[in-house]
Amino acid sequence: MKKGVDEGVDIVICDTAGRLHSNAGLMDELKKLRRVAGKAMPGAPHETWMVLDATNGQNAISQAKTFKADMEISGIVLTKLDGSAKGGVVLGICDELKVPVRFVGVGEKIGDLRPFDPTAFVDALYADAGAAEN
Ligand SMILES: Nc1nc2c(ncn2[C@@H]2O[C@H](COP(=O)(O)OP(=O)(O)OP(=O)(O)O)[C@@H](O)[C@H]2O)c(=O)[nH]1
Ligand SMILES: [Mg+2]
């Protein structure tokens, strides 16, 4: 953060190691990250994204709720949409948390992290539903 401020860069992205929402000690470390960022630059972190794996089922909802209670999550990144999972669980999460999906992951290459396209997402969900009915 300090290097970013000193050099006047546009964006600093801090990637945390996997956190366990059921482990208070790990969640405290995450809250500390926010405080440290805020000291280096007032107002930071400007965004806090939670990365969810589309293959995670309903467990992701309780996970999201706990994270949201501890810190201001401003968006969700939904990965692994290239598999068979369609990530329908984010509908419940977005409804509950009132935060948008910002990016989706559709593979392992750098270009596979893409801005979220709600129309394409919903079309894919319904395409699946149609296939199940037939
Ligand atoms: N197919 C596919 N693979 C992905 C996607 N996103 C991540 N991966 C792969 O999943 C594996 C784990 O990804 P990471 O980014 O290390 O996951 P992480 O959640 O940061 O893991 P921790 O930092 O250990 O908590 C890697 O092999 C990634 O290449 C995606 O959208 N599609
Ligand atoms: Mg990681």
Side-chain angles (χ1 to χ4, degrees):
M1 279 297 297
K2 190 170 183 315
K3 187 177 166 73
V5 170
D6 288 348
E7 295 182 5
V9 303
D10 293 332
I11 296 173
V12 174
I13 299 173
C14 305
D15 174 31
T16 71
R19 301 284 89 170
L20 210 55
H21 61 292
S22 52
N23 184 321
L26 288 178
M27 294 305 285
D28 282 345
E29 287 178 10
L30 210 49
K31 286 187 246 178
K32 184 174 179 188
L33 271 181
R34 295 177 60 86
R35 292 197 299 274
V36 170
K39 270 183 203 153
M41 164 166 267
H46 300 89
E47 296 250 2
T48 302
W49 294 345
M50 185 169 68
V51 181
L52 286 176
D53 190 321
T55 60
N56 282 351
Q58 297 300 314
N59 179 43
I61 294 193
S62 62
Q63 192 182 345
K65 271 196 219 164
T66 315
F67 272 88
K68 176 78 174 183
D70 270 348
M71 63 206 62
E72 278 309 307
I73 290 173
S74 60
I76 289 168
V77 177
L78 187 63
T79 62
K80 303 200 179 166
L81 278 176
D82 49 314
S84 55
K86 294 298 168 205
V89 71
V90 290
L91 294 179
I93 292 173
C94 292
D95 188 44
E96 183 98 29
L97 269 55
K98 308 291 181 220
V99 293
V101 178
R102 302 298 300 270
F103 286 88
V104 293
V106 293
E108 297 191 73
K109 296 192 204 73
I110 192 160
D112 294 335
L113 191 63
R114 302 188 183 154
F116 178 59
D117 176 348
T119 307
F121 179 77
V122 171
D123 283 350
L125 271 183
Y126 278 95
D128 227 31
E133 273 165 27
N134 296 328

